[in-house]
Amino acid sequence: MSRYPLPDLNTLPDDIKAKALEVQEKAGFIPNVFLGLARRPAEWRAFFAYHDALMEPESTGRTSRLTKGDREMIVTATSAANRCLYCVVAHGALLRIHEKKPHVADQVAVNWRKATDITPRQRAMLEFAMKVCLRSHEIDDADWGALHAHGFDDEDIWDIAAITAFFGLSNRLASFSGMMPNPEFYLMGRVPREKKA
């Protein structure tokens, strides 16, 4: 399992514990990343502040033309390139839910170029995200033109690049620490969720 023991929820600072319980209420479980990073509270706060600004921009008052599905698709594809088991499984689950397509995460994670459940716009988005992930030093003005042709503006392009870069950090933290996906992620978006009584 993890190379760093997950801390007990009751030992966490109040703000981190409250956020973990909020996520548990919504998802039915606490994702291991919330506990795994909580061993360093200042870093946890910085990590999740940036995460929320990128993945939930409306929480900061900013609008983004990338859908939640688009954002999770970027994370799933680039995490697969970085071979991060935790992020592929966790964000693949969220991708299935937001796109309402049970096969899309597997397609994107294994070979996004052959994915049949993505649009030409999403394909262009992933092309750029993968270039940021693997060859950011090669990015030039032609990359902007290709994205503009699919209706992305310069702020959208920033979002694609920032999400890719942030999750490059997340991938490496999860991988080196041996963070494992919660079992619940594997079925999310594949089978109907049980309703609470």
Side-chain angles (χ1 to χ4, degrees):
M1 191 93 174
S2 177
R3 292 183 176 92
Y4 294 87
L6 298 179
D8 183 285
L9 182 65
N10 294 314
T11 65
L12 301 180
D14 289 343
D15 60 322
I16 296 175
K17 180 180 177 182
K19 182 65 175 177
L21 290 173
E22 178 186 322
V23 170
Q24 181 180 39
E25 176 65 27
K26 185 175 178 181
F29 65 100
I30 300 173
N32 288 337
V33 69
F34 281 86
L35 297 174
L37 298 182
R39 60 188 310 280
R40 293 189 170 193
E43 292 175 30
W44 186 100
R45 292 180 186 104
F47 180 93
F48 281 104
Y50 196 31
H51 172 279
D52 293 352
L54 292 172
M55 301 303 281
E56 300 172 13
E58 59 283 350
S59 71
T60 65
R62 185 176 68 81
T63 58
S64 173
R65 295 186 325 161
L66 296 182
T67 67
K68 288 183 179 188
D70 291 339
R71 293 191 288 265
E72 296 299 344
M73 191 174 292
I74 293 165
V75 178
T76 303
T78 59
S79 295
N82 289 327
R83 300 181 181 180
C84 178
L85 176 64
Y86 184 91
C87 293
V88 168
V89 172
H91 291 277
L94 297 173
L95 172 57
R96 288 190 297 274
I97 290 167
H98 291 305
E99 289 290 301
K100 298 178 177 46
K101 296 176 182 174
H103 303 123
V104 68
D106 297 331
Q107 293 176 5
V108 167
V110 173
N111 187 347
W112 64 271
R113 292 181 183 280
K114 292 188 176 186
T116 58
D117 282 349
I118 66 174
T119 66
R121 176 187 169 277
Q122 290 170 326
R123 195 172 305 281
M125 174 188 77
L126 292 181
E127 182 81 45
F128 181 71
M130 294 302 286
K131 193 167 185 181
V132 171
C133 178
L134 301 171
R135 305 181 327 276
S136 60
H137 59 283
E138 294 178 9
I139 292 174
D140 59 29
D141 291 344
D143 296 302
W144 261 252
L147 289 167
H148 290 157
H150 285 276
F152 292 104
D153 66 18
D154 289 354
E155 294 306 312
D156 300 329
I157 294 169
W158 181 282
D159 285 342
I160 295 166
I163 290 166
T164 301
F166 175 78
F167 278 94
L169 162 75
S170 180
N171 296 160
R172 285 155 179 84
L173 286 171
S175 292
F176 102 89
S177 67
M179 190 179 296
M180 296 301 291
N182 302 67
E184 293 89 344
F185 281 125
Y186 289 95
L187 294 181
M188 289 172 62
R190 296 187 200 274
V191 296
R193 186 173 175 188
E194 292 182 19
K195 297 197 188 281
K196 293 181 180 178

